[in-house]
């Protein structure tokens, strides 16, 4: 503590009163006088005492004993609803504020203020120390509310395009942290129930109109509606050869697909899906070309090495083939002689 006093004289067997405490210590209350700095037993202020020492000319030191002040924190909803118990704290000891239990529809809890219309002084559950130094004081903390603004959801496909030729994966996201997304795939307004809750990417195979909304603490974002169209495309269009007549057949026909990994417009032709066959399954695509001239194309395959082959044939003769699982696009060039020729791409899947 701080303060001063003078030496007091006493005579053995003569009682006298201890002085009134002249010291002070911020955040602490005087308990009494102790014979040691940490005494648990104390002599009271102005208490009558005697014979503190039997020695002639002895000196007795009495130490001020202090206890930390206790105070109470009272939480005010400040326009919100709910209840919270008061919290008892002790000066000199840090503590976590109780977690907010109040709420306001359409508002987010920002923290606690020391004034009704003040700014945030403490966060939710923040560690605090010495909010007051007065014993038995009550500290009022007021909830601070801020309006929730929820960003509209974003609807994107795996290719970033709003059209596809086979199927595409759709992802819906929202930049507002903690927001839930609800959507429908029929263009109707989604209800905010579990059956409409977005839980992860999904695949569509037909033209689909998706309508979505993000919600947080009862506040809704603007609705977003996106139509993702299945594009009708011929094999000739897919490979950039409009005007030619492609035919396809075998155990599974070829079809147009969107594959942005080729560095072109993204469209290409892909062999049909074939499960592991009992013998050999074939998927082929062919076209009639007029020579002479150079035929150039890019191709790739992901298959069992040396067993499942993607072949290029001219007039029924294999002039090129690839296999394996690398799946990287490769350039292929071939000189076609004069006259009409049937060129064919054939994928053969072994048993």
């Amino acid at each position: 503590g701080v303060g001063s006093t003078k030496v007091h004289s006493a005579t053995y067997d003569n009682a006298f009163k201890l002085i009134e405490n002249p010291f002070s210590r911020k955040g602490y209350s005087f308990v009494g006088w102790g014979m040691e700095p940490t005494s648990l037993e104390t002599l009271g202020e102005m208490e009558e005492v005697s014979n503190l020492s039997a020695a002639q000319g002895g000196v007795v030191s009495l130490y001020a004993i202090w206890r930390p002040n206790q105070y109470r924190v009272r939480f005010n909803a400040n326009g919100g609803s709910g209840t919270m118990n008061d919290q008892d704290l002790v000066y000199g000891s840090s503590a976590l504020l109780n977690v907010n239990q109040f709420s306001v529809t359409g508002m987010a809890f920002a923290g606690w203020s020391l004034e009704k219309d003040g700014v945030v002084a403490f966060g939710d559950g923040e560690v605090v120390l010495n909010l007051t130094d007065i014993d038995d004081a009550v500290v009022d903390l007021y909830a601070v509310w801020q309006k929730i603004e929820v960003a509209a959801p974003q609807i994107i496909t795996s290719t970033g395009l709003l059209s596809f030729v086979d199927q595409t994966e759709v992802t819906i996201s929202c930049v507002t942290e903690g927001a839930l997304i609800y959507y429908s795939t029929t263009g109707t307004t989604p209800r905010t129930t579990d059956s409409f809750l977005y839980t992860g990417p999904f695949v569509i195979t037909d033209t689909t109109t998706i309508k979505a909304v993000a919600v947080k603490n009862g506040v809704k974002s603007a609705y977003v509606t996106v139509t993702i169209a299945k594009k009708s495309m011929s094999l000739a269009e897919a490979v950039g050869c409009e005007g030619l007549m492609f035919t396809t057949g075998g155990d599974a026909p070829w079809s147009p697909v969107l594959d942005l990994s080729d560095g072109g417009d993204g469209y290409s032709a892909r062999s049909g899906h074939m499960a592991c066959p009992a013998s050999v399954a074939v998927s082929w695509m062919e076209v009639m070309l007029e020579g002479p001239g150079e035929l150039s194309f890019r191709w790739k395959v992901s298959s069992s090495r040396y067993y499942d082959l993607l072949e290029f044939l001219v007039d029924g003769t294999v002039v090129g083939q690839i296999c394996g699982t690398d799946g990287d696009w490769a350039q292929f060039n071939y000189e076609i002689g004069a006259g009409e020729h049937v060129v064919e791409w054939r994928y053969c899947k072994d048993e």
Side-chain angles (χ1 to χ4, degrees), residues 26-41:
K26 183 178 180 179
Y28 289 80
S29 294
F30 178 74
V31 175
W33 301 106
M35 303 294 288
E36 301 290 341
T38 57
S39 294
L40 297 179
E41 294 185 2

Side-chain angles (χ1 to χ4, degrees), residues 163-182:
S163 64
F164 62 97
V165 296
D166 184 25
Q167 64 179 31
T168 190
E169 184 178 78
V170 178
T171 299
I172 310 177
S173 61
C174 179
V175 298
T176 301
E177 185 178 354
L180 298 177
I181 299 172
Y182 299 88

Side-chain angles (χ1 to χ4, degrees), residues 130-299:
N130 301 343
L131 298 184
T132 180
D133 59 5
I134 301 174
D135 196 33
D136 293 327
V138 175
V139 177
D140 286 305
L141 293 184
Y142 298 86
V144 178
W145 305 101
Q146 60 184 18
K147 184 178 179 180
I148 297 175
E149 295 184 357
V150 182
Q154 296 177 311
I155 303 173
I156 60 172
T157 65
S158 53
T159 62
L161 303 177
L162 295 180
S163 64
F164 62 97
V165 296
D166 184 25
Q167 64 179 31
T168 190
E169 184 178 78
V170 178
T171 299
I172 310 177
S173 61
C174 179
V175 298
T176 301
E177 185 178 354
L180 298 177
I181 299 172
Y182 299 88
Y183 74 102
S184 73
T185 55
T186 58
T188 58
T189 299
R191 288 187 287 175
T192 54
T193 59
D194 288 346
S195 59
F196 290 87
L197 180 64
Y198 174 78
T199 57
F202 55 93
V203 173
I204 58 174
T205 57
D206 290 302
T207 296
T208 303
T209 298
I210 301 169
K211 188 170 185 179
V213 64
V215 182
K216 182 176 180 180
N217 289 5
V219 178
K220 294 182 179 179
S221 71
Y223 284 90
V224 174
T225 303
V226 172
T227 297
I228 305 171
K230 185 172 184 178
K231 187 174 182 179
S232 177
M233 177 178 286
S234 67
L235 289 173
E237 291 173 320
V239 299
C241 295
E242 291 87 348
L244 296 179
M245 182 63 70
F246 284 78
T247 57
T248 180
D251 295 287
W254 286 58
S255 61
V257 294
L258 182 62
D259 185 344
L260 296 177
S261 65
D262 68 352
D265 63 4
Y267 294 106
S268 58
R270 182 176 64 191
S271 62
H273 175 74
M274 297 177 291
C276 188
S279 55
V280 177
V282 175
S283 176
W284 58 263
M285 175 181 69
E286 67 180 27
V287 66
M288 179 76 73
L289 297 179
E290 181 76 26
E294 183 182 56
L295 174 63
S296 297
F297 60 87
R298 291 162 60 82
W299 59 348

Side-chain angles (χ1 to χ4, degrees), residues 9-18 47-52:
S9 298
T11 303
Y12 193 80
D13 279 340
N14 290 331
F16 68 97
K17 285 187 178 182
L18 295 176
E47 181 177 336
E48 189 173 273
V49 297
S50 62
N51 302 339
L52 296 182

